[in-house]
């Protein structure tokens, strides 16, 4: 029907636009972080810290890490002390969250970028991003960033719900902040399954979930194993 076609076209457009924005944000963050990581290498002067966090206020933490067997070994680290003081978050809380998710971040030693929801246990939603320091380096960089850096892209209006999941199906961004803060896993959602088994980076499908039929589209993020999903229930899509 014409209504179904319009919904499908809109879903595809939404996922494409948001994916482009998120990819741009991730590339910008990683490029800035590589420069910052180089500038703090071997020194931790207050002037460097001030410059770093005046430029990128959404970054709470930057650190270089090496691989120690099946664990992460902390290298040079820098914390956004102003933000930590304002929120009451301790630097040890950041360290603990990184250690708790070390198995996930270790994937970056294979040359990929990973994104993890670190919100659990914090009052504000946070994400961790890891990637190789350089092509030939045996170190990775891990960033901890305020979720709102990308969350704003998912405040969509209308009948469509758009969200982002990582390679394990864990929600990274979602219109409902409670879903984000709880670290909900959507791996069993048919549209998420469809995205992970698809050989191409975008697609759409009709699926049933909790006795309701939905029209969903997905777009994989090329530099990471995450993806953007846009979905709408058929009942809402076709109502007059």
């Amino acid at each position: 029907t014409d209504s179904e076609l319009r919904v499908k076209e809109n879903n595809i457009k939404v996922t494409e636009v948001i994916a482009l924005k998120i990819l741009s944000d991730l590339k910008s963050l990683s490029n800035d972080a590589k420069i910052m990581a180089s500038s703090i290498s071997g020194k931790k002067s207050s002037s460097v810290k001030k410059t770093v966090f005046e430029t990128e206020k959404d970054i709470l933490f930057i650190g270089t890490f090496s691989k120690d067997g099946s664990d992460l070994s902390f290298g040079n680290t820098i914390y956004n002390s102003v933000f930590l003081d304002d929120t009451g978050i301790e630097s040890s809380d950041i360290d603990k969250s990184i250690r708790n998710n070390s198995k996930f971040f270790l994937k970056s030693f294979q040359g990929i970028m990973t994104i993890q929801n670190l919100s659990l246990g914090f009052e504000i939603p946070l994400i961790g991003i890891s990637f190789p320091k350089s092509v030939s380096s045996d170190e990775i960089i891990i960033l901890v960033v305020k979720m709102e850096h990308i969350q704003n892209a998912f405040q969509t209006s209308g009948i469509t719900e758009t969200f982002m999941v990582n390679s394990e199906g864990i929600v990274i961004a979602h219109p409902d902040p409670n879903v984000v803060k709880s670290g909900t896993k959507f791996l069993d959602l048919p549209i998420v399954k469809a995205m992970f088994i698809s050989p191409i980076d975008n697609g759409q499908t009709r699926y049933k979930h909790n006795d309701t039929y939905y029209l969903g589209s997905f777009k994989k993020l090329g530099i990471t194993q995450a993806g953007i999903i846009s979905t709408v229930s058929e009942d809402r899509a076709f109502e007059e």
Side-chain angles (χ1 to χ4, degrees):
T1 65
D2 288 345
S3 296
E4 183 176 354
L5 187 61
R6 282 197 299 271
V7 170
K8 287 180 176 179
E9 288 176 345
N10 182 65
N11 276 356
I12 292 171
K13 187 184 295 182
V14 168
T15 55
E16 292 278 355
V17 169
I18 293 181
L20 283 173
K21 183 187 185 304
I22 299 303
L23 281 171
S24 175
D25 286 349
L26 291 175
K27 287 177 180 176
S28 176
L29 279 170
S30 62
N31 287 337
D32 288 348
K34 287 175 183 178
I35 294 170
M36 294 174 191
S38 297
S39 71
I40 63 170
S41 181
K43 59 179 180 179
K44 299 181 180 180
S45 68
S46 58
S47 62
V48 171
K49 290 184 181 182
K50 186 178 179 182
T51 303
V52 166
F53 297 117
E54 279 181 353
T55 307
E56 287 287 358
K57 291 184 171 63
D58 286 345
I59 297 177
L60 278 67
F61 167 89
I62 305 168
T64 58
F65 294 79
S66 55
K67 193 175 182 180
D68 182 13
S70 59
D71 207 354
L72 289 172
S73 176
F74 281 66
N76 291 312
T77 58
I78 180 171
Y79 302 84
N80 186 339
S81 56
V82 172
F83 184 84
L84 295 185
D85 289 344
D86 288 345
T87 58
I89 296 174
E90 301 285 342
S91 60
S92 58
D93 297 331
I94 300 290
D95 293 352
K96 182 180 178 181
S97 184
I98 290 171
R99 287 195 179 95
N100 287 344
N101 290 277
S102 60
K103 286 184 179 178
F104 191 83
F105 294 131
L106 282 166
K107 296 177 183 178
S108 286
F109 287 102
Q110 300 168 21
I112 62 172
M113 174 182 280
T114 72
I115 308 172
Q116 180 66 306
N117 187 337
L118 301 183
S119 305
L120 211 58
F122 293 103
E123 289 298 316
I124 59 168
L126 302 175
I127 54 175
I129 306 168
S130 65
F131 47 88
K133 188 175 180 182
S134 67
V135 176
S136 57
S137 177
D138 57 358
E139 287 185 308
I140 64 170
I141 294 173
I142 297 179
L143 294 178
V144 177
V145 183
K146 287 190 285 183
M147 181 75 74
E148 66 186 52
H149 190 87
I150 64 169
Q151 178 71 13
N152 293 336
F154 296 87
Q155 303 303 323
T156 51
S157 58
I159 61 174
T160 303
E161 181 177 88
T162 305
F163 56 92
M164 176 179 172
V165 296
N166 68 7
S167 60
E168 296 182 347
I170 296 171
V171 170
I172 299 299
H174 190 282
D176 184 348
N178 291 322
V179 172
V180 174
K181 288 178 73 173
S182 65
T184 304
K185 185 176 280 194
F186 281 166
L187 200 55
D188 290 332
L189 203 62
I191 184 67
V192 175
K193 287 182 178 178
M195 179 179 74
F196 285 137
I197 65 174
S198 174
I200 57 176
D201 71 350
N202 66 85
Q204 54 187 305
T205 187
R206 177 179 185 257
Y207 65 95
K208 187 178 182 180
H209 180 64
N210 291 339
D211 297 323
T212 301
Y213 282 97
Y214 293 84
L215 297 173
S217 296
F218 65 81
K219 175 69 176 178
K220 298 179 185 180
L221 299 178
I223 59 173
T224 148
Q225 296 174 324
I228 309 296
I229 287 170
S230 186
T231 183
V232 58
S233 71
E234 284 188 344
D235 289 345
R236 297 197 67 189
F238 303 143
E239 65 188 13
E240 294 297 323

